[in-house]
Amino acid sequence: MTERYEYVPHRLLGRRVRDIASGVEGELMAVTNENVSDSGAERWMRLAYVRDASGLEFTTAVGNIVPAGYLDILEGCLNRRRPGE
């Protein structure tokens, strides 16, 4: 039987991150490459495990994870660049 998951190194492990899909912030606890298929055909996906302020962990796609505060900084930069000024 094949393993259904494997741990993957990530530069944000142990740091505060934001899930852009839900807007929830927390600490990135783990990143795994998981076989999410319940049929015979394998379907592998990278999942991020994030622990929120209440201590609950949730999963999201790794592509949805950004450093906490990143979106605020990005919005600030975009607000300073107004067309026509």
Side-chain angles (χ1 to χ4, degrees):
M1 183 167 134
T2 5
E3 291 293 324
R4 295 198 47 96
Y5 69 92
E6 61 186 3
Y7 288 98
V8 178
H10 195 279
R11 65 183 181 87
L12 296 175
L13 277 174
R15 294 185 52 201
R16 292 213 40 92
V17 295
R18 179 182 287 176
D19 172 23
I20 59 173
S22 66
V24 177
E25 288 191 10
E27 181 180 349
L28 182 60
M29 304 305 292
V31 174
T32 61
N33 193 26
E34 293 189 33
N35 181 3
V36 296
S37 174
D38 59 356
S39 68
E42 293 185 352
R43 180 168 164 18
W44 291 85
M45 184 173 185
R46 286 200 176 179
L47 295 175
Y49 286 77
V50 179
R51 181 177 293 159
D52 68 12
S54 70
L56 295 175
E57 288 190 14
F58 64 94
T59 59
T60 188
V62 171
N64 288 344
I65 296 297
V66 296
Y70 172 78
L71 295 177
D72 299 329
I73 293 169
L74 183 60
E75 286 174 355
C77 291
L78 292 174
N79 288 338
R80 285 186 290 206
R81 297 175 53 195
R82 298 191 201 295
E85 289 186 2

